[in-house]
């Protein structure tokens, strides 16, 4: 069995307040109260904001992401997220 990297050896990839996008379907694994196990909580492309950062099993960062459309705050792993913040290449090129 291949061992995953210990994320806590590096700083978090995302910051509190950062806009992020879901890269994979997220279903309730039984840890989201008030929803059935297996119920879809976030779909690919849904956008939210990192509300807090915790850890799991002394190895992984868990990003609590607040999805404004549903009001859900869902714990996500790094592999489930990507940055959704747009970089303005034009303003960087002109120094503005």
């Amino acid at each position: 069995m291949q061992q995953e990297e210990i994320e806590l050896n590096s700083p978090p990839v995302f910051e509190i307040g950062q806009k992020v996008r879901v890269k994979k379907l997220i279903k309730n694994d039984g840890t989201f109260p008030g929803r059935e196990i297996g119920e879809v909580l976030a779909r690919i492309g849904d956008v939210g904001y990192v509300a807090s950062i915790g850890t799991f099993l002394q190895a992984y960062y868990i990003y609590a992401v607040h999805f404004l459309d549903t009001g859900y705050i869902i714990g996500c792993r790094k592999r489930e997220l990507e940055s959704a913040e747009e970089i303005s290449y034009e303003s960087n090129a002109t120094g503005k």
Side-chain angles (χ1 to χ4, degrees):
M1 176 159 55
Q2 182 179 352
Q3 186 176 358
E4 291 186 53
E5 71 173 293
I6 297 178
E7 291 177 23
L8 300 184
N9 289 337
S10 302
V13 172
F14 304 108
E15 298 177 2
I16 293 174
Q18 186 172 352
K19 187 177 182 180
V20 292
R21 181 179 300 110
V22 175
K23 294 188 336 185
K24 60 185 275 187
L25 188 69
I26 299 175
K27 296 181 180 182
N28 185 11
D29 60 2
T31 59
F32 193 90
R35 298 289 177 224
E36 295 293 322
I37 293 175
E39 185 174 339
V40 174
L41 300 175
R43 299 183 184 284
I44 296 170
D46 285 356
V47 173
Y49 295 86
V50 176
S52 65
I53 302 169
T55 61
F56 181 66
L57 296 177
Q58 298 179 339
Y60 311 110
Y61 288 109
I62 298 295
Y63 301 92
V65 179
H66 186 190
F67 295 92
L68 301 179
D69 290 345
T70 61
Y72 293 164
I73 298 175
I74 303 170
C76 301
R77 295 270 311 270
K78 171 181 77 171
R79 65 180 182 213
E80 298 170 318
L81 301 170
E82 64 186 3
S83 176
E85 295 182 341
E86 297 181 24
I87 299 171
S88 175
Y89 294 104
E90 183 177 318
S91 63
N92 288 342
T94 60
K96 295 182 181 176

